[in-house]
């Protein structure tokens, strides 16, 4: 997988060590969709007085700040209609060409974080936190954790939000679009599992037996809060 942006280039001429030092107050929660990242990050931020930075909430802003030069996959995605995005392509192609899965726009996350004050500390969460992009920014391994949901947990979480059909119903074949999306997300979680294992990063497997309190406790413990 060839990602467009590498941490070494995210702050211009600043070297990685200096960038790492400037982000030492940041905790990172990555993972697959439907894993509970937003809920858990919000709980921990509120309980410990941390600033919350949700990457999903800035996607529109980051898309607007992106250029063809640094985000070619985003440009291709914008040019497609809903059926071209979610019905007419295989889940494998959807996985390999989805701009945020390619790391496009990650440098904008870093830019935003660098603009924040050192206090209070920050929790940043979202599926865009790809392991190989985050690892060079960590002062200690305990700054980051990835939540990896089982397919059953992911589907239950999405159904509970009432958002299962938000994208599929806007296509000409909602059933196929949903199947494609679920399979793409399953493969993305599998890729995260492989990357975190190879990079020796911390993960929490999330299944239907785990309560929200359990998960919040495990993430809090992982961060040493």
């Amino acid at each position: 997988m060839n990602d467009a942006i590498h941490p070494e280039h995210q702050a211009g001429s600043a070297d990685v060590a200096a960038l790492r030092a400037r982000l030492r107050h940041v905790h990172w929660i990555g993972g697959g969709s439907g894993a509970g990242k937003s809920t858990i990050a919000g709980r921990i931020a509120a309980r410990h007085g941390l600033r919350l930075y949700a990457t999903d909430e800035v996607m529109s802003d980051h898309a607007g700040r992106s250029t063809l030069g640094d985000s070619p996959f985003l440009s291709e995605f914008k040019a497609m209609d809903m059926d071209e995005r979610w019905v007419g392509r295989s889940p494998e192609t959807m996985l390999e060409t989805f701009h945020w899965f390619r790391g496009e726009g990650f440098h904008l996350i870093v830019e935003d974080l660098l603009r924040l004050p050192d206090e209070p500390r920050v929790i940043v969460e979202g599926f865009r936190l790809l392991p190989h992009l985050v690892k060079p920014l960590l002062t200690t391994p305990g700054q980051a954790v990835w939540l990896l949901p089982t397919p059953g947990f992911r589907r239950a979480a999405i159904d509970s939000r009432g958002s299962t059909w938000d994208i599929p119903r806007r296509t000409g074949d909602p059933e196929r679009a949903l199947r494609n999306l679920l399979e793409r997300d399953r493969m993305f979680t599998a890729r995260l599992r492989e990357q975190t294992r190879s990079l020796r990063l911390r993960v929490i497997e999330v299944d239907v037996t785990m309560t929200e309190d359990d998960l919040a406790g495990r993430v809090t413990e992982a961060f040493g809060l």
Side-chain angles (χ1 to χ4, degrees):
M1 180 170 162
N2 297 317
D3 294 278
I5 306 298
H6 237 276
E8 289 84 348
H9 307 300
Q10 287 160 359
S13 61
D15 63 25
V16 176
L19 189 58
R20 188 182 301 126
R22 293 182 64 189
L23 296 171
R24 63 187 179 277
H25 62 293
V26 177
H27 298 282
W28 309 75
I29 302 178
S33 62
K37 299 179 298 298
S38 299
T39 299
I40 299 305
R43 282 186 54 161
I44 294 175
R47 184 164 192 171
H48 295 274
L50 307 181
R51 186 190 304 273
L52 178 62
Y53 178 95
T55 61
D56 282 9
E57 294 181 3
V58 294
M59 286 193 293
S60 179
D61 172 64
H62 287 180
R65 288 160 58 187
S66 298
T67 66
L68 177 60
D70 61 35
S71 300
F73 287 96
L74 172 61
S75 297
E76 291 181 10
F77 187 80
K78 286 180 175 179
M80 299 179 191
D81 62 30
M82 293 298 287
D83 281 5
E84 289 172 326
R85 291 175 182 176
W86 310 116
V87 177
R89 303 184 300 159
S90 69
E92 291 80 7
T93 298
M94 292 163 59
L95 174 72
E96 295 299 338
T97 62
F98 189 54
H99 42 287
W100 303 134
F101 291 173
R102 300 286 304 194
E104 292 185 351
F106 184 78
H107 67 296
L108 298 175
I109 294 174
V110 175
E111 287 179 8
D112 290 349
L113 294 173
L114 292 173
R115 293 191 185 103
L116 299 176
D118 291 350
E119 294 293 338
R121 286 179 293 168
V122 179
I123 284 189
V124 54
E125 63 86 12
F127 70 87
R128 297 170 59 192
L129 307 183
L130 304 181
H132 72 285
L133 296 180
V134 173
K135 184 176 181 179
L137 307 179
L138 302 178
T139 302
T140 66
Q143 280 180 260
V145 65
W146 278 262
L147 309 184
L148 305 181
T150 63
F153 185 93
R154 181 188 307 110
R155 180 62 188 266
I158 295 172
D159 285 349
S160 70
R161 299 174 191 164
S163 59
T164 304
W165 296 95
D166 283 358
I167 289 175
R169 72 163 57 100
R170 295 162 59 196
T171 72
D173 190 342
E175 295 283 350
R176 183 174 181 180
L178 180 60
R179 288 195 303 271
N180 286 344
L181 274 165
L182 292 174
E183 177 59 12
R184 182 204 66 163
D185 288 349
R186 184 199 65 77
M187 290 189 295
F188 177 62
T189 298
R191 174 170 288 175
L192 292 177
R193 182 174 290 106
E194 178 183 336
Q195 288 187 357
T196 50
R197 182 184 298 118
S198 66
L199 294 171
R200 298 183 179 179
L201 294 167
R202 186 168 305 195
V203 304
I204 297 175
E205 300 280 351
V206 187
D207 62 29
V208 293
T209 68
M210 184 175 290
T211 69
E212 186 178 306
D213 286 343
D214 291 338
L215 184 54
R218 292 191 60 181
V219 174
T220 299
E221 181 182 4
F223 287 154
L225 296 173

